[in-house]
Amino acid sequence: MGFVTPDYGTIFWMVIIFGITLFILKKFAWKPILTSLKDRENTIAEALSSADKARKEVEGLKSNQEQIIAEARREKDIILKEAREIKDKLLADAKSIAQVEGQKIVESARTQIEAEKTAAINEMKKQIVDLSVLVAEKIIQREIKEKKDQEDMVNSLINDLKLK
Amino acid sequence: MTMATLESKFPGKAKRIAFLLVVLTLGLASPKIYAEENQEHIAAESTHKTNFDAGKFVMEHVSDAFEWHILTYGHTHVSIPLPIILYSENSGLNVFLSSKFHHGTVAYKNFRIEQEGENEGKIVELNDQGEILGLPIDLSITKAVVGLFVSVIVILLIFLNVAKSAKQRAGKAPKGLQNLIEPLVLFIRDEVAVPAIGKAKTDQFLPFLLTLFFFILINNFLGLIPIFPFGANVTGNIAVTLVLALFTFVVTTLNGNKHYWKEIYNPDVPWWLKYPLPLMPIVELTGVFTKPFVLMVRLFANMMAGHIIVTVFVSLIFIFSSLNGPVVGGMVSPLSVAFSVFILLLDVLVSFIQAYVFTLLSALYFGMATSEHH
């Protein structure tokens, strides 16, 4: 057989054999193999993208968390500030009330003292009057030698009284 | 050159050379050859061996045949007879085993394997007087066809197994044979088909390209294994490469779009290249046929050359032993074996390259046939 001249018998068999091989492989080998390859590629791509998504979500959660913490901290500050203000106000109020109360007490004490004082003066006056009456009785009981001496004595007594 | 002359020319070195010679002869020439010291015997042997025809030996090993020759021991030929299928107008359909020809030495029924002349190696039909009537239609299962069957069985075993594991292990990592095949499949898809054809149309041609690649690759490899049932030099058979190229041609032509045909019959060239003489259309149309022709010749020539060189290096042993006696032949053998191994390894590389080139070029032609723009 000349080896550079194609032999038609071999061509005949080769067409049949290659055709059948092509058909069988196409239907039963390449289809499942290529499908599984594509499926795997898709699965991997999906897994990668979902991992990316999850990572982004976690990042979002983290920033959310930070936001919440910051808010809580701010709220805490506000509450503390309010409490401090309330405390200050309470203290101030108490102080002013105490002041007013004290003033009131002082006032009432003063009026009482005044009243006591007036009462004491009146009492004194009454005693002076009693004393005067006593003095007068004594004078009257005495014999008055001179009119003029009498008059002087009374006058001086009255004057003394008035001075008080 | 005797020891004495050697000694006078290269004193000191002579002993080393002599030692090397002895080692080589002892180590590599078979004891049987070494035992045949009898001068007459050697003379008889060498006259017998002078008949060794290297050209015929090489051609017999790389060409197609009606029987599968395995070995010759003495004068006994061990070969597997293959079916001969003949049809002629005179005797109708004839199916028989090639052993009926007794290695081509005798005629059977009215058929004979022509040993020389213009029809050498072909089966001719004879009349009762022994004159040649003509050539019957010969659809025999030759060595190449059996080699094809063997490789197709190997291919189907491999790929149906891979397909099975691909189905069973869907969504899991590949395993075993699947692991070996998948990178190659991916290589053909991502490095050959997609760049040449484009992503959108790749799926349409991918099964054919994959079949082409693995068919050529596995046939190339099996052709390198010199033990039955492999080594039939299938891809070094021009009929086989012709059919492969023909398939590429048919697929290209059937899928050629308007743009493809327009580029052939009315290419974008100055008008005087098309009218009045359709120069460029002729060139383009020739190109349509030269492309598959070149595919056919390239694969055939590469694989054939590899096989021829290996066989030539092996036959060097017999050439030397027939010219200078078996001892020289034995001494040449390590060199021959070394070169044969080297060429075989080179052929492994060539097997890959040729399968790749054939597939790549086919993909490029498909790409050309389906592309919308330049």
Side-chain angles (χ1 to χ4, degrees):
Chain A
M1 280 185 188
F3 69 97
V4 283
T5 26
D7 175 53
Y8 60 86
T10 315
I11 292 177
F12 171 80
W13 290 111
M14 173 63 186
V15 168
I16 292 175
I17 293 170
F18 188 71
I20 292 173
T21 313
L22 183 59
F23 174 77
I24 294 178
L25 286 184
K26 191 172 177 177
K27 191 145 190 193
F28 299 108
W30 302 131
K31 219 168 137 192
I33 291 172
L34 291 172
T35 325
S36 87
L37 277 176
K38 206 164 266 179
D39 282 353
R40 195 183 310 139
E41 270 162 14
N42 289 341
T43 319
I44 290 170
E46 255 168 45
L48 281 177
S49 75
S50 72
D52 208 39
K53 217 198 262 172
R55 199 170 52 225
K56 264 181 199 152
E57 236 161 62
V58 167
E59 260 165 36
L61 277 179
K62 207 180 266 174
S63 73
N64 225 21
Q65 209 177 9
E66 268 162 19
Q67 212 175 322
I68 289 170
I69 288 173
E71 202 149 306
R73 198 166 288 152
R74 208 165 51 235
E75 230 155 81
K76 181 199 84 181
D77 285 351
I78 289 169
I79 290 169
L80 273 177
K81 206 174 142 200
E82 270 174 10
R84 201 170 293 139
E85 271 168 11
I86 289 170
K87 183 198 86 180
D88 286 352
K89 208 176 146 217
L90 274 177
L91 272 178
D93 280 2
K95 223 179 245 173
S96 67
I97 288 169
Q99 222 160 10
V100 168
E101 207 70 8
Q103 222 146 17
K104 240 188 230 169
I105 292 167
V106 167
E107 201 70 29
S108 72
R110 194 169 289 154
T111 36
Q112 224 167 339
I113 289 166
E114 203 70 28
E116 293 283 315
K117 197 172 132 194
T118 326
I121 288 171
N122 288 346
E123 187 77 6
M124 225 167 66
K125 272 181 182 170
K126 217 192 214 168
Q127 279 192 355
I128 287 170
V129 169
D130 284 349
L131 272 173
S132 312
V133 171
L134 216 78
V135 167
E137 268 178 15
K138 273 180 185 167
I139 291 167
I140 290 163
Q141 279 169 351
R142 253 174 77 184
E143 274 183 341
I144 304 159
K145 287 176 204 173
E146 270 169 72
K147 213 185 177 182
K148 209 192 165 225
D149 282 347
Q150 272 182 9
E151 276 173 5
D152 284 348
M153 207 171 156
V154 172
N155 276 346
S156 74
L157 281 169
I158 288 165
N159 277 347
D160 281 352
L161 281 174
K162 266 183 190 166
L163 274 171
K164 278 219 172 161
Chain B
M1 209 180 279
T2 61
M3 215 43 201
T5 50
L6 260 177
E7 194 118 38
S8 63
K9 274 184 183 170
F10 315 100
K13 270 188 185 173
K15 265 182 195 163
R16 226 177 299 163
I17 291 168
F19 177 72
L20 260 177
L21 281 175
V22 168
V23 166
L24 278 176
T25 1
L26 279 180
L28 301 155
S30 75
K32 193 182 166 225
I33 292 170
Y34 208 64
E36 290 170 13
E37 274 288 358
N38 191 311
Q39 284 293 322
E40 277 174 52
H41 202 102
I42 287 174
E45 278 282 318
S46 59
T47 47
H48 175 245
K49 287 277 167 110
T50 340
N51 296 329
F52 175 74
D53 183 348
K56 202 167 165 243
F57 172 79
V58 171
M59 280 310 134
E60 267 173 11
H61 273 80
V62 295
S63 303
D64 207 356
F66 290 111
E67 58 183 13
W68 196 313
H69 181 239
I70 293 175
L71 62 93
T72 300
Y73 185 79
H75 289 286
T76 329
H77 296 286
V78 180
S79 56
I80 304 224
L82 302 173
I84 305 277
I85 302 167
L86 299 171
Y87 180 83
S88 77
E89 285 174 10
N90 306 311
S91 55
L93 188 68
N94 287 283
V95 181
F96 55 91
L97 280 179
S98 65
S99 52
K100 298 282 199 299
F101 286 132
H102 291 277
H103 313 294
T105 49
V106 295
Y108 177 73
K109 287 186 179 172
N110 286 324
F111 301 105
R112 190 178 73 196
I113 301 173
E114 200 67 341
Q115 296 298 317
E116 51 213 357
E118 118 187 75
N119 292 326
E120 189 191 339
K122 286 181 184 167
I123 293 177
V124 292
E125 191 173 18
L126 312 163
N127 60 12
D128 294 336
Q129 282 77 47
E131 291 162 339
I132 293 170
L133 276 176
L135 297 167
I137 295 172
D138 177 9
L139 294 179
S140 304
I141 308 286
T142 57
K143 188 180 167 187
V145 179
V146 176
L148 268 175
F149 276 121
V150 171
S151 65
V152 163
I153 288 168
V154 171
I155 289 169
L156 290 183
L157 280 178
I158 293 174
F159 288 99
L160 294 181
N161 177 17
V162 172
K164 202 176 94 187
S165 65
K167 261 190 240 168
Q168 278 175 351
R169 301 179 57 79
K172 286 186 212 160
K175 200 183 170 191
L177 210 52
Q178 198 189 356
N179 238 342
L180 176 76
I181 298 302
E182 271 190 5
L184 290 171
V185 173
L186 281 178
F187 172 74
I188 295 299
R189 194 190 69 182
D190 296 339
E191 310 295 326
V192 175
V194 171
I197 304 171
K199 220 169 177 81
K201 284 167 183 156
T202 295
D203 285 353
Q204 185 186 344
F205 297 107
L206 200 53
F208 177 72
L209 290 173
L210 286 168
T211 310
L212 202 60
F213 178 76
F214 286 107
F215 188 88
I216 296 171
L217 186 69
I218 287 169
N219 270 305
N220 287 351
F221 280 157
L222 295 188
L224 295 179
I225 303 171
I227 304 159
F228 180 82
F230 308 116
N233 192 21
V234 171
T235 38
N237 186 309
I238 199 161
V240 171
T241 61
L242 182 141
V243 173
L244 290 173
L246 196 71
F247 267 85
T248 296
F249 171 74
V250 168
V251 173
T252 312
T253 310
L254 288 183
N255 287 288
N257 59 12
K258 224 164 98 188
H259 178 78
Y260 174 70
W261 293 115
K262 193 225 146 218
E263 281 300 307
I264 289 167
Y265 293 111
N266 187 18
D268 285 328
V269 287
W271 64 270
W272 48 269
L273 281 171
K274 296 185 277 191
Y275 187 85
L277 204 69
L279 262 175
M280 279 314 283
I282 288 173
V283 170
E284 291 280 351
L285 200 60
T286 319
V288 170
F289 296 102
T290 49
K291 280 170 192 163
F293 182 79
V294 167
L295 279 184
M296 168 183 89
V297 172
R298 184 186 296 109
L299 179 58
F300 158 73
N302 271 284
M303 296 326 291
M304 178 58 97
H307 282 255
I308 288 180
I309 294 172
V310 170
T311 331
V312 163
F313 276 125
V314 172
S315 63
L316 270 184
I317 301 169
F318 303 107
I319 294 171
F320 272 95
S321 69
S322 71
L323 290 179
N324 305 323
V327 178
V328 179
M331 277 156 61
V332 171
S333 60
L335 208 64
S336 281
V337 169
F339 273 113
S340 292
V341 168
F342 171 69
I343 296 295
L344 265 175
L345 291 178
L346 203 65
D347 272 351
V348 173
L349 186 68
V350 170
S351 297
F352 266 113
I353 293 170
Q354 290 309 316
Y356 167 68
V357 166
F358 201 109
T359 317
L360 179 71
L361 288 174
S362 296
L364 282 174
Y365 300 157
F366 300 159
M368 269 186 233
T370 54
S371 78
E372 298 298 338
H373 304 286
H374 256 301

